[in-house]
Amino acid sequence: MDATWTWELPGYCVKYGFLAEPKGLTMREVERIFQLDPEPPVLENMNDYIIEAVHSRDLRCFAFFLHHYENRLNGRVRRFLLREGLDRYDPERFLDYKMGCVLAMLDCLREYDPAQGADFLTYAHHFIGNALLTCRMQEEAGSFENVDEYKAVRGIAWLYNQSGQSEQAAIQKYAQKNGCTEETAARFLTLAKQNRSRVPFYQTIQDEDSEETGEDVSRDNHWDYAEILWNGIRAEAVREAFEKLNYREQTLLEKRNAICMTCGRVSPISTRKTFEELAVLFEGSTASGAERAYRRAVDRLTELLVAEGAIHVIRLKQKSKTKRKKKIAAAIYEYQADCDGEWGEISFDFENGTAKIIRLADWDTMKTNRFANRAITYLLNCEDEKPSKETLIAFE
């Protein structure tokens, strides 16, 4: 940033400092590096922080934005690492990728014009994706001139791997689709093959324009218990709860989430079993039956972890909804705290980004409403156009 921008935070400090443990960074630390204490002022829309930062040229507002956006940023980095078959729970790598995204957002901030009508996150989405790809490119065995060449190499490698055709056929198809010469396409494929000695051909989900979608299309609308596993804090509690499950529940969770509970290794998403494959493992079961059994296993593990005090959980159910222009404009959700007690109710206005607590659930405190506020934050910040009808939210 140039000298006309300022970045001072008087009266604020880091909420979760680095513990400087001998074993190094932990996931708990790197996922919370932008959290501030005391809580920054709350604005109706996160984009208001960016608009204020642009107008005042004060990056303090950008720091407030990062405080509220950090959880979603963690999710985007995690999904990218998952698709690439990389370890999502390597703190140093996670921090490198995350800081690359923040630097990209700072670059975008200088050029962002709120008068154009687009939200900052919409404007920066492509550049954040490029930042993730740049971090990945720097880890590759091959040498690439820039991220555009790297994306082209990934694109033809993905096409060649998925089509099952000969090299020449893949080169011709890529050249025709992308408007380049066959010589250029052949050079891209050669670079991809040279790089293959270290990394597999790319399995990244792509759209019709060979651009990465930036979203994990294979994501389920349920709590993935692997998200809290091996984060330096809860691994032992998860293992103990896992051992209390029966053989079928254990198998469903391990195979579906592509994770080994013995060593904690998380495999690439491409290796996880489909519900059809899980049904074959248990004769007499159908794909839908295997999916229901898997959901019950997730719920069972969740309840065991809650009973041990390892996590807290909010169970959400959509009670009613109102649609406008094929989008959910408002809805009423029931919520339950820690899988026990009477349900509460929360009314959501998604168009205006507001929510109102109608009735508190059992175990929710009258002063902080921490379960209700967690549920409100989750649904209002949800990037999905269709919020889940039923979901679990786990937190410490």
Side-chain angles (χ1 to χ4, degrees), residues 221-223 314-317 378 388-393:
N221 289 322
H222 69 276
W223 169 54
I314 306 164
R315 193 188 301 272
L316 282 170
K317 289 183 180 180
Y378 172 80
S388 303
K389 292 183 178 179
E390 186 172 341
T391 190
L392 292 176
I393 307 170

Side-chain angles (χ1 to χ4, degrees), residues 132-143:
L132 292 169
L133 283 171
T134 299
C135 291
R136 183 71 180 107
M137 178 181 70
Q138 292 169 350
E139 292 185 328
E140 299 279 26
S143 177

Side-chain angles (χ1 to χ4, degrees), residues 103-199:
L103 290 175
M105 285 190 284
L106 282 170
D107 285 338
C108 289
L109 195 61
R110 292 184 296 183
E111 306 296 331
Y112 176 62
D113 182 4
Q116 296 297 319
D119 284 349
F120 176 72
L121 287 175
T122 301
Y123 171 73
H125 182 88
H126 172 77
F127 298 96
I128 295 173
N130 276 355
L132 292 169
L133 283 171
T134 299
C135 291
R136 183 71 180 107
M137 178 181 70
Q138 292 169 350
E139 292 185 328
E140 299 279 26
S143 177
F144 307 95
E145 291 184 5
N146 50 50
V147 72
D148 290 329
E149 182 181 73
Y150 179 58
K151 289 165 72 173
V153 170
R154 290 169 64 95
I156 195 169
W158 178 84
L159 176 65
Y160 175 55
N161 185 49
Q162 293 296 314
S163 67
Q165 298 175 332
S166 66
E167 289 185 21
Q168 188 58 39
I171 289 170
Q172 291 175 349
K173 186 174 182 180
Y174 181 87
Q176 182 180 10
K177 184 176 181 180
N178 293 276
C180 65
T181 65
E182 291 188 13
E183 289 76 11
T184 299
R187 182 172 66 85
F188 290 154
L189 184 56
T190 299
L191 285 173
K193 294 179 69 176
Q194 290 173 349
N195 196 44
R196 190 180 186 182
S197 61
R198 179 175 175 183
V199 294

Side-chain angles (χ1 to χ4, degrees), residues 256 273-282 285-288 290-291:
R256 178 60 182 168
K273 299 294 185 183
T274 64
F275 289 118
E276 288 80 4
E277 291 171 324
L278 291 176
V280 174
L281 292 177
F282 302 98
S285 176
T286 62
S288 59
E291 182 174 2

Side-chain angles (χ1 to χ4, degrees), residues 316-321 328 331-333 387-390:
L316 282 170
K317 289 183 180 180
Q318 191 180 90
K319 185 178 180 181
S320 62
K321 63 183 177 182
I328 298 177
I332 293 178
Y333 275 82
S388 303
K389 292 183 178 179
E390 186 172 341

Side-chain angles (χ1 to χ4, degrees), residues 229-242:
L229 189 61
W230 314 114
N231 66 355
I233 299 173
R234 300 302 183 190
E236 190 61 34
V238 174
R239 185 186 293 108
E240 290 177 1
F242 182 83

